[in-house]
Amino acid sequence: MILRATLAVLALAIGLASPAFAQETRSFTAANGTFDIPVAPQRIVALNDQIVALPLYELGAPLVGSAGRTDADGNHFLRGGMDTLGIDYANTDIAYVGGFNGLDLEAIAALSPDLIIGGPYTDPDVAEQLQKVAPTLLIDNGALGLVDTLKTLADVSGKSGSFDARYQRYLDNVERAKSYIGDTSVISITMTFMFPAGEELWVYRAGLGAIAQVLDDVGFAQPAVVAALAETQASWSAELIQDLDADFVFGFYRQQPDATPETIFAAYEKFAPGWCQALTACQNGQFVLLPGPTFGSTMAGLDLALELVENTVAGRPFTPFVEAP
Amino acid sequence: MTAVTHPRQIVLRSPRERLALKLPLRAVLVLCLLLLALFLTIAVSLATGSYGVALGDVLDTLRGITISRAIDNVVWEFRFARTLAAALVGAMMALSGAALQNATRNGLADPSLVGVSQGAALAVVTLTVVFPDISSSWRPWAAFAGAILVALAVQGLARTRQGGSTIRFILMGIGLSAFISSITSAMMTYGEIDRAMAALAWLAGSINAASWGDVWTLLAWCAVLLPALLAISRTMSALRFGEAAAIGLGAPVKLVRNLQLAVAVALAAIATSVVGPLGFVGLIAPHAAQRLAPAGMAMHLILTAAIGALLVSLADLIGRAAFAPIQIPAGLLTALIGVPLFVALLLRSRATTH
């Protein structure tokens, strides 16, 4: 009887102690300060779907909630979720907690998270309020770049091992692609972003998700005007569209009901009539339209982007762009 | 203090009848109803939300009993703070509109019409987009400085050799507002996208992240600015009849008008600095107060403050709870309510003119 009672007390003590082991903490410095975070968090809420939630889910982190978007019919979705990983709120246990700039603090608190992760787009006052619920880290993905952001997310979620293995495989594939392509520094590529209304054309030097990372890792060149951009992106004048000519142009667009390859081509024509004649890349079929969210900030995005580059640049002959003297 | 009730008014007298306060009965009744509606809105706000808390637990938490740390956070830190902030911000924006309308003798005057909100918005967007390394705790100060600077610029530009002109003040305000808004839009369009996104919620007028610090700030300023406004309400009443009539009655018109403008700008600047620009509250509330219960200036100001508090509290409650977890900024809802009212006021004033 005494033995049984002792065992019961021991079992109870172990049971009570185990959450304490699970919540062992460590110090972590994020963009908004230094916090004590769980070594192995059990319930994470992401304050951005594409930049935070998808990489965490991909790493196998315990994601219980995420900010997301709402379509015209009022349905919530994770931007790029279905495109990249085949996930959405409907087919996962991830709860919708509002838009990234309209977060429902109570919905987040109701999930009892032990870690909350946002970014530079998170309202600092909201982040401050959320500190009362759980350590709220703002990871500055803009300053870190794609790979270091993924590495940081893996670190804070206790999934560094998963990330390191997958990232090494990606680096090996990059080397393999380079061996197929040859001297990548003599091949130039421009990255653009067009909206369906054709009102603006954005040109990216860097920071356009996985594709920008892959092009940089493989070592491609950029037209001089793009390489010289002070910011990572710029709104481009229609009169200077010929300056964007390169061996290849990767033209991104955001997948939405009114944005299809046809409407985006029409948008380019509206933005700069006769644009295709001004770009030899377009004349030679080396203008590639890409749905942006598919190549977002995930390892799957990096893998997809690398495959795309291999298929487009190494997998077929192309006409090199010769800059006028 | 004794109260004497006449058919349409209540007269409060001090013991030796040195002071007497005449209150229109209808205004008192309307004020009581408004305060009751405000109290009910606050009560519903405290009991409603995405975090499921039983009403009994909410009451226990408000009585200081800790059921859980999470419930304490939700009730005290999230719901109570934002509900009080909404009410205070609404009252301040409404009073700002009333003072501006009286000072400019223009029923369409509103903090956003004379550049106060736009100045605050430009300052915050500049801080967020251009100087992202500066701590966000400077945001309220930047907003306040932006609002004050624009208000001073408008007043400076509106001055002529003959002194200030209310029409020039309004026109300069509209012009400068448009100019400032275009700079803000350019920053949002061409600035670093993550930084611009961070400013979006604030620009939409969201009370989402209001904290007790914000509540104390608003309360402290209310405690200074509301009595200041009430203290000059007698002269403000005289100004209703026009500048010449007010001077004839011996009122220090110039001083009071400048004081009104200063208080109006300060009220709007403080409110905007905490929650962002909230459109139309300052425009609607004084008109609604006038329509609901015509009263003397002091009572009109109190009614206006109550209507502003109720309007923004309701907007915040609806925006927070109606489509949860989708959060609709209170600024969007006040604009949705305000635009039809604005048009109705314009049509009504046109009909009156004809």
Side-chain angles (χ1 to χ4, degrees):
Chain A
M1 192 68 186
I2 293 171
L3 184 66
R4 266 189 197 176
T6 310
L7 283 174
V9 169
L10 269 176
L12 185 67
I14 290 166
L16 287 172
S18 46
F21 283 127
Q23 288 301 308
E24 188 187 346
T25 60
R26 68 185 172 110
S27 180
F28 182 84
T29 300
N32 57 328
T34 301
F35 304 94
D36 280 336
I37 64 167
V39 171
Q42 301 300 305
R43 301 180 64 80
I44 303 177
V45 169
L47 304 184
N48 186 294
D49 45 359
Q50 189 168 27
I51 298 168
V52 181
L54 298 191
L56 287 175
Y57 185 89
E58 184 182 54
L59 288 164
L63 189 67
V64 292
S66 172
R69 327 277 160 144
T70 305
D71 66 18
D73 298 325
N75 303 312
H76 306 312
F77 65 98
L78 295 156
R79 186 177 173 213
M82 286 307 283
D83 311 289
T84 313
L85 304 174
I87 62 163
D88 216 329
Y89 293 107
N91 65 6
T92 61
D93 292 330
I94 303 169
Y96 174 74
V97 296
F100 72 91
N101 60 353
L103 292 161
D104 186 339
L105 305 191
E106 288 190 30
I108 294 172
L111 293 170
S112 305
D114 55 4
L115 187 63
I116 301 170
I117 304 172
Y121 37 79
T122 306
D123 183 340
D125 293 339
V126 169
E128 197 57 43
Q129 285 287 71
L130 285 174
Q131 300 291 358
K132 290 160 188 158
V133 176
T136 303
L137 310 178
L138 300 187
I139 309 290
D140 191 345
N141 61 297
L144 289 172
L146 190 146
V147 171
D148 280 341
T149 299
L150 295 181
K151 202 177 281 185
T152 305
L153 289 172
D155 179 21
V156 297
S157 62
K159 299 289 177 186
S160 289
S162 316
F163 171 78
D164 291 343
R166 200 156 173 188
Y167 185 56
Q168 189 53 54
R169 192 187 64 147
Y170 163 76
L171 290 177
D172 293 344
N173 285 339
V174 166
E175 289 308 315
R176 193 195 59 192
K178 282 161 95 170
S179 70
Y180 295 157
I181 299 167
D183 185 3
T184 52
S185 68
V186 296
I187 301 171
S188 59
I189 295 179
T190 303
M191 291 177 284
T192 59
F193 197 108
M194 175 55 84
F195 298 89
E199 288 161 344
E200 264 192 296
L201 174 68
W202 284 80
V203 176
Y204 280 77
R205 176 176 58 75
L208 191 60
I211 193 79
Q213 183 66 42
V214 167
L215 295 179
D216 191 44
D217 287 342
V218 177
F220 291 111
Q222 290 180 323
V225 288
V226 179
L229 286 176
E231 302 290 330
T232 54
Q233 85 276 9
S235 179
W236 207 255
S237 163
E239 292 182 13
L240 300 176
I241 198 151
Q242 66 283 352
D243 291 353
L244 302 179
D245 210 355
D247 292 313
F248 293 91
V249 179
F250 287 160
F252 274 74
Y253 64 97
R254 188 170 293 162
Q255 275 167 304
Q256 50 202 45
D258 59 342
T260 61
E262 289 75 21
T263 58
I264 294 299
F265 271 121
Y268 272 97
E269 192 59 35
K270 184 186 168 197
F271 175 76
W275 68 283
C276 197
Q277 283 70 45
L279 297 175
T280 59
C282 182
Q283 292 284 299
N284 294 314
Q286 287 154 215
F287 179 89
V288 185
L289 268 184
L290 304 166
T294 308
F295 302 93
S297 311
T298 55
M299 285 307 303
L302 282 176
D303 293 340
L304 275 170
L306 185 58
E307 282 175 26
L308 176 98
V309 168
E310 272 192 328
N311 284 331
T312 308
V313 182
R316 63 181 177 129
F318 65 89
T319 308
F321 164 61
V322 182
E323 201 161 352
Chain B
M1 181 82 66
T2 57
V4 181
T5 308
H6 291 274
R8 289 175 184 273
Q9 59 199 30
I10 300 168
V11 183
L12 300 174
R13 296 182 195 282
S14 63
R16 291 183 184 175
E17 299 199 0
R18 278 185 184 165
L19 285 172
L21 189 62
K22 191 169 74 178
L23 299 168
L25 191 59
R26 182 174 168 184
V28 174
L29 284 173
V30 168
L31 180 63
C32 289
L33 286 175
L34 285 171
L35 292 178
L36 180 67
L38 181 62
F39 177 77
L40 286 174
T41 306
I42 290 173
V44 173
S45 276
L46 290 175
T48 315
S50 303
Y51 193 104
V53 191
L55 190 59
D57 290 347
V58 172
L59 292 173
D60 282 346
T61 305
L62 291 175
R63 282 164 51 209
I65 300 167
T66 296
I67 296 154
S68 74
R69 191 177 151 233
I71 293 176
D72 264 2
N73 272 338
V74 167
V75 175
W76 279 108
E77 302 295 338
F78 295 168
R79 288 185 194 169
F80 210 168
R82 77 180 281 173
T83 302
L84 289 184
L88 288 167
V89 159
M92 290 172 88
M93 292 299 276
L95 285 172
S96 172
L100 275 176
Q101 285 172 17
N102 192 270
T104 59
R105 296 195 63 219
N106 188 320
L108 300 178
D110 173 82
S112 58
L113 198 73
V114 293
V116 173
S117 304
Q118 289 82 352
L122 176 62
V124 168
V125 171
T126 305
L127 190 75
T128 314
V129 176
V130 183
F131 305 105
D133 295 332
I134 295 177
S135 164
S136 66
S137 60
W138 285 95
R139 193 190 265 186
W141 296 104
F144 185 69
I148 295 287
L149 280 176
V150 172
L152 287 175
V154 172
Q155 273 201 284
L157 289 168
R159 287 196 76 79
T160 61
R161 282 182 187 169
Q162 287 76 39
S165 153
T166 53
I167 290 295
R168 275 176 71 91
F169 183 79
I170 295 272
L171 290 176
M172 284 297 174
I174 292 170
L176 207 56
S177 300
F179 177 67
I180 291 168
S181 293
S182 62
I183 298 175
T184 308
S185 299
M187 276 197 201
M188 293 292 287
T189 307
Y190 299 109
E192 216 273 296
I193 195 155
D194 283 337
R195 310 294 174 193
M197 293 291 112
L200 257 187
W202 187 88
L203 277 178
S206 174
I207 306 167
N208 205 5
S211 63
W212 281 104
D214 296 326
V215 173
W216 297 129
T217 304
L218 292 167
L219 267 177
W221 281 102
C222 271
V224 174
L225 297 172
L226 182 58
L229 209 52
L230 289 174
I232 55 169
S233 62
R234 201 175 275 261
T235 314
M236 285 169 72
S237 296
L239 269 171
R240 275 180 170 178
F241 303 107
E243 212 166 280
I247 292 169
L249 290 166
V253 171
K254 210 172 177 178
L255 175 73
V256 168
R257 198 176 53 202
N258 287 336
L259 255 174
Q260 271 189 95
L261 287 175
V263 172
V265 168
L267 281 165
I270 300 291
T272 308
S273 71
V274 172
V275 300
L278 282 181
F280 292 98
V281 181
L283 177 68
I284 302 160
H287 286 281
Q290 197 60 42
R291 301 271 185 281
L292 284 172
M297 182 51 77
M299 192 61 172
H300 172 70
L301 290 174
I302 292 169
L303 285 170
T304 300
I307 290 170
L310 179 61
L311 182 65
V312 178
S313 297
L314 269 174
D316 183 51
L317 171 62
I318 295 168
R320 175 169 68 87
F323 304 100
I326 293 175
Q327 301 289 286
I328 302 169
L332 190 63
L333 281 167
T334 56
L336 277 175
I337 301 165
V339 170
L341 276 172
F342 184 73
V343 173
L345 281 172
L346 279 179
L347 291 175
R348 193 180 171 126
S349 67
R350 198 169 64 181
T352 313
T353 311
H354 283 283

